[in-house]
Amino acid sequence: MLIPVTAADVPDFLTACTYEHVFGSRARTALSAHGLGSETVQFFLCRKGREPAAALCFADGVLTISSDERADPAPIAELAQRLQVHEIDTNWAQCQALQALLGGYTDSSYYMVYRGAPQQLDCPDIVPGDKRAVFDVLQRSHEYYRTHLNYDTWAADLDCRLSRGLSELYQLEADGAVIGTGSIVSWDDECGVIGAVAVVPEYRHRGLGNRISRFLVQRIQKCGKTPRLISGYDEVAELYRQIGFAPCGRWGELYI
């Protein structure tokens, strides 16, 4: 059974968000930021009998799912068709099951959790981010950001999260310019999730992405939580291993 989330369903929705910390914390943070009455974000709950099986969050064409093995892909696929979803972010098993029903193509790599020592960095060159400058870095750094991000939509959602203390945005400065960025994009009771780490092309291969990531690890550790992230592809996972992250499963993205 797949239903829109009401106030009575919120405890079960939050339970389902714990099934997978990265996408689950994204859905949880979206609920805290936007609320059930949002005009731009929708929330759904999949049940198996009386038990929560999946938490779903839909925003800007993307359906985010935190699920366990009890989540039935059939009603999720029907919802995706009805909402005209163009991207689904979930665990790899669910992603494969949905592709069998919906078609499209997939991408996948590792969920990663920090298992290294506490970070102790002094980073005066990493400061709270300016949205326009950060957006420019993201656009310059990777094709995905050029093709998937609209500034107004991105900035509105970010403002909503930042104003409530649900995310943190940083920029790396060098030679009088903003040349890198990274964020804590979401939180749950156990973890903080690192995302959107990027360095402009002319400053790559200097270890700056790792420097930003280590800074964000330190920020999350100071809050008494575990840093987590998703690697964009398997080769990047090797870079994160070098600073203390370990794989802990695979995520999948389905593009319809």
Side-chain angles (χ1 to χ4, degrees), residues 137-158:
V137 169
L138 293 174
Q139 294 271 287
R140 292 166 61 193
S141 70
H142 199 282
E143 182 182 1
Y144 177 89
Y145 296 119
R146 292 191 290 274
T147 58
H148 287 71
L149 291 189
N150 168 273
Y151 178 78
D152 290 339
T153 302
W154 174 83
D157 175 64
L158 181 61

Side-chain angles (χ1 to χ4, degrees), residues 31-77:
L31 180 62
S32 297
H34 298 278
L36 294 178
S38 172
E39 296 181 356
T40 58
V41 186
Q42 299 178 59
F43 303 93
F44 301 90
L45 178 67
C46 182
R47 294 185 186 276
K48 179 69 171 180
R50 295 184 177 181
E51 297 298 316
L56 300 88
C57 171
F58 176 66
D60 196 28
V62 178
L63 184 65
T64 299
I65 305 171
S66 172
S67 69
D68 65 12
E69 68 281 355
R70 297 171 298 176
D72 184 353
I76 296 175

